Amino acid sequence: MKSDENKIRTLSPGLALAFGGEPGDTNNFVDYVERNLRLYQIRNNTELLPAPASAFIRKELANSIRSRSPYAVNLLLGGYDKVHSEAHLYSIDLYGTKAILPYAAQGLGIYVALSTMDKYWYPEITREEAEELLRKCVAEVKLRLAYQFTFNAVVIDKDGVKDLPLL
Amino acid sequence: MNGGSVVAMIGKDCVAIASDLRLGSQAVGLASNFEKVFPVNDKLFIGLSGLATDTYTLRESLRFRVNMYRMKEEREITPETFTHLVSSTLYEKRFGPYFIEPVVAGLPDATPLNPNPKPFISTMDTIGCITTPKDFAVAGTATDKLYGVAEGLWEPDLEPEDLFETISQTILNAMDRDALSGWGAVVHVISKDKVVTRYLRGRMD
């Protein structure tokens, strides 16, 4: 139906959420998370850091899966923790399984993207190399999958969330 | 669905508990840093193997209950009491269970009533039916393999260092025969005055 839907939402100045799954559920759930994180910010006058934000999102999904109408949403949560000066990446699936990872992928291209990153990622990878690796993954997915769709990407650092041009 | 295994063993005045580090989604390995063993207090650990989302959920709800116990009773929970706490937590969800098989391992403190406490391990099924073995307890996707290796390697009254070697070889060799467990392991050896935690490298395939 559409091959260029934006599936990344900026939640706060240091936090972005990429999502996939059942189309109606995804936007609804991400809206809910976004508004609740905003409510926390207004009430406490401080942003929720990536780690507690991931715990909140995980718990919402873990409760949802055992409810009458579960959300079918898979998420990648990226964030920069300004207090500890650390970057965080979480992969959270529809069951509420949270993985804390250096690199992650979800969706149709998971095998291709994970294999590419297994081969080229290393612990001391620089920002430029990491961006290049992301482009490599996208190129590999486009080459090897029958479905054609376009990608968009963001980079999160101490200055916030910015769009990353892929080509 | 996510894979993973836990094993606990009794030694001479010590206990050991170990888990693998894999988190998977069916056959795909997602993470190699997913520990399934958590400290409850200084001398008590619990391993939660099974559905990964329930590993998190149950860890958090047990953390809450143990903290409440500690505040109300103003003392640390004993392994026996904790086992029953876990059991009733699981049975609360009798008709929609947490998909977790817990393994508890701890060294009870000496009390006037019980001056020479024995090392304690216990395990439960998904709805909280307790078993308290005198040798070792296993759980997870490599259960049958762990039983086989542990049955062959374990002997009574192992010293902490020998117990570490026994439990490490048990989990490493059982993991290698199980596709859903592996990617390294973590071992905690609890003895009277200290807990030694070691990370083992395993086959990454």
Side-chain angles (χ1 to χ4, degrees), chain A residues 91-108:
Chain A
S91 166
I92 308 173
D93 77 1
L94 73 165
Y95 304 106
T97 313
K98 181 173 84 175
I100 304 162
L101 298 161
Y103 56 87
Q106 278 174 356
L108 286 175

Side-chain angles (χ1 to χ4, degrees), chain A residues 31-48:
Chain A
D31 283 349
Y32 173 75
V33 168
E34 187 183 5
R35 294 322 351 182
N36 272 99
L37 293 183
R38 176 71 182 132
L39 178 63
Y40 182 94
Q41 198 270 330
I42 293 166
R43 277 184 173 159
N44 302 289
N45 209 13
T46 171
E47 300 281 353
L48 214 51

Side-chain angles (χ1 to χ4, degrees), chain A residues 119-134:
Chain A
K119 186 165 167 64
Y120 294 106
W121 184 88
Y122 61 98
E124 291 83 28
I125 194 165
T126 64
R127 181 193 177 129
E128 287 71 27
E129 288 173 311
E131 287 176 7
E132 210 39 59
L133 178 51
L134 190 70

